[in-house]
Amino acid sequence: MINLRLISHTLALVVLISLANLGLLLALLVKPFKEAWSWSIACGTAEWFWSYMQHHWETSLNAAAALQITGDAIPAHEPALVISNHLSYGDYYLVQALAIRAGMLGKCRYFAKKQLVWQVPVFGWSFWAVGMILVSRAWTSDARLIKEAFARVNKNKHDVWIVLYPEGTRRTPKKLLEAQAFERRAGKKELDRVLFPRPKGFQATVKGIRHSHIKYIYDLTFQYTSPGRDHERVPSLAEQLSCADLAAAGYGFRVHVERISIADLPQDDEALRHWLEERWERKNELLADMLRDEVGTADVAGQDGADTVGNNVGMAIDHGEVRSAGDQVKSRARPRKLA
């Protein structure tokens, strides 16, 4: 069945991408003469484009009514390294839900392979122009390449959210089984809601920014719930964009935030690996608590030793800022109106 809602949204994106590329071209032309202007134009163009996407998801599809944000407060306009579990192509909506409230929507930068700049029509060129973190093969083991990857951000002290998915890929049933097989072979704790994290990208990123103006890590935990018997099913991006009212249909989206000082991270690679693995074990337990909180049952596997979500601090959204809301954990996120 042809979904006219999805088709019209896709056509609108094609037009907006074409217009955005004009702004990004201007950013590139200005860059040799004035880096600050170039960055400002690129961020403004990205915010304009991503605001449309976020407005469509949160408002037109009513995802905002199904969105919960819990955890630590995020100060407005604070640069950070953002890490999270990876469940869907639509995870960027959850990152952007936080970013737009913290005044950082146009300043989110993701990792992309350098070769995509020339291999992917339109989008590849845009990755380069907007200032994504472009990396080559084996970049994590070469100090020069690590420095090169973050040179623009570090040199110019740009306010930015560098977004990294340490799992390296989306969780699927097949990939989860493969990860669990690896965990058993390696003598690691078996995880049932997240994939085992790959440490090299995280270690290299921390090395690249440790002495920069970026002082915090935001560790995000994403959870999706779907209508029907399989409550934990992650809806595809197409499924979300085809739905007239996500909240009314019974979908749920949750983001839990932990804000961590980079100064508190261990120094050497081995200790960083252990730190990341322990974070992912805790994330696995937290997701079990989240599900129990959602469905109201105490019989959820993988919950031993978990800190309950009810003990964490909730968040409130006010005028684009994310601030503490005392002990109110289940408060709904109230997005600011997007023009």
Side-chain angles (χ1 to χ4, degrees):
M1 180 179 177
I2 297 176
N3 189 292
L4 296 179
R5 182 177 293 102
L6 181 58
I7 292 174
S8 63
H9 177 61
T10 303
L11 291 175
L13 287 181
V14 171
V15 174
L16 291 174
I17 288 170
S18 300
L19 294 174
N21 277 336
L22 294 177
L24 295 177
L25 176 60
L26 177 60
L28 284 180
L29 293 175
V30 170
K31 190 176 185 302
F33 308 100
K34 197 73 174 180
E35 166 64 25
W37 291 2
S38 176
W39 181 256
S40 180
I41 293 169
C43 291
T45 301
E47 182 167 2
W48 170 76
F49 177 74
W50 288 333
S51 288
Y52 166 80
M53 294 180 64
Q54 200 67 16
H55 177 268
H56 179 74
W57 185 72
E58 288 199 24
T59 305
S60 301
L61 304 183
N62 199 27
L67 174 64
Q68 293 184 57
I69 301 174
T70 60
D72 294 335
I74 294 179
H77 309 295
E78 180 177 71
L81 168 61
V82 179
I83 60 175
S84 78
N85 56 319
H86 195 13
L87 297 171
S88 165
Y89 287 121
D91 285 349
Y92 60 82
Y93 284 120
L94 302 183
V95 175
Q96 291 176 178
L98 291 175
I100 199 169
R101 292 157 171 81
M104 295 293 285
L105 181 61
K107 299 176 181 179
C108 293
R109 296 297 183 268
Y110 296 79
F111 286 80
K113 295 179 180 178
K114 275 186 177 180
Q115 58 266 35
L116 294 181
V117 172
W118 316 113
Q119 293 175 353
V120 180
V122 182
F123 282 105
W125 180 85
S126 299
F127 293 155
W128 174 49
V130 80
M132 294 301 183
I133 309 298
L134 300 177
V135 295
S136 55
R137 290 178 64 87
W139 74 279
T140 58
S141 58
D142 188 322
R144 179 184 61 82
L145 294 178
I146 292 172
K147 183 177 180 180
E148 181 182 288
F150 303 103
R152 184 182 185 187
V153 168
N154 289 344
K155 178 181 178 181
N156 299 286
K157 293 182 169 54
H158 289 316
D159 289 341
V160 65
W161 280 13
I162 297 174
V163 184
L164 173 70
Y165 298 116
E167 293 164 326
T169 185
R170 291 174 298 116
R171 189 197 73 187
T172 65
K174 181 175 182 288
K175 291 171 184 175
L176 183 59
L177 289 174
E178 292 172 348
Q180 289 173 332
F182 166 79
E183 289 157 0
R184 288 191 295 270
R185 290 195 305 270
K188 305 290 185 179
K189 182 175 181 179
E190 193 169 317
L191 309 176
D192 57 359
R193 286 181 169 82
V194 293
L195 300 180
F196 193 79
R198 304 175 184 180
K200 289 186 178 180
F202 176 74
Q203 292 164 334
T205 301
V206 171
K207 282 181 184 177
I209 66 171
R210 187 185 287 276
H211 302 295
S212 75
H213 61 295
I214 301 172
K215 303 300 182 184
Y216 285 91
I217 291 178
Y218 301 159
D219 182 5
L220 310 182
T221 301
F222 295 155
Q223 180 205 40
Y224 294 80
T225 51
S226 295
R229 297 182 64 182
D230 188 2
H231 200 59
E232 286 190 273
R233 183 179 64 83
V234 177
S236 69
L237 180 58
E239 180 181 345
Q240 294 179 53
L241 296 178
S242 299
C243 182
D245 189 322
L246 289 163
Y251 293 97
F253 310 93
R254 188 164 180 174
V255 184
H256 185 75
V257 183
E258 294 185 68
R259 180 172 174 262
I260 303 160
S261 172
I262 291 178
D264 293 338
L265 266 60
Q267 295 290 325
D268 63 275
D269 281 353
E270 184 64 16
L272 278 173
R273 180 180 66 81
H274 282 295
W275 183 92
L276 184 64
E277 290 177 7
E278 288 174 357
R279 296 300 304 180
W280 248 245
E281 289 177 10
R282 186 177 187 281
K283 194 182 295 290
N284 192 71
E285 295 167 347
L286 178 61
L287 283 164
D289 281 345
M290 284 182 172
L291 181 65
R292 183 175 60 232
D293 187 52
E294 286 286 335
V295 302
T297 176
D299 186 21
V300 179
Q303 63 200 15
D304 294 343
D307 295 328
T308 61
V309 175
N311 290 332
N312 289 299
V313 177
M315 305 177 80
I317 313 302
D318 185 25
H319 303 300
E321 295 184 357
V322 183
R323 57 183 175 81
S324 173
D327 294 326
Q328 184 183 4
V329 172
K330 297 188 71 176
S331 60
R332 293 285 181 178
R334 298 189 300 277
R336 66 178 183 179
K337 184 177 180 181
L338 307 181

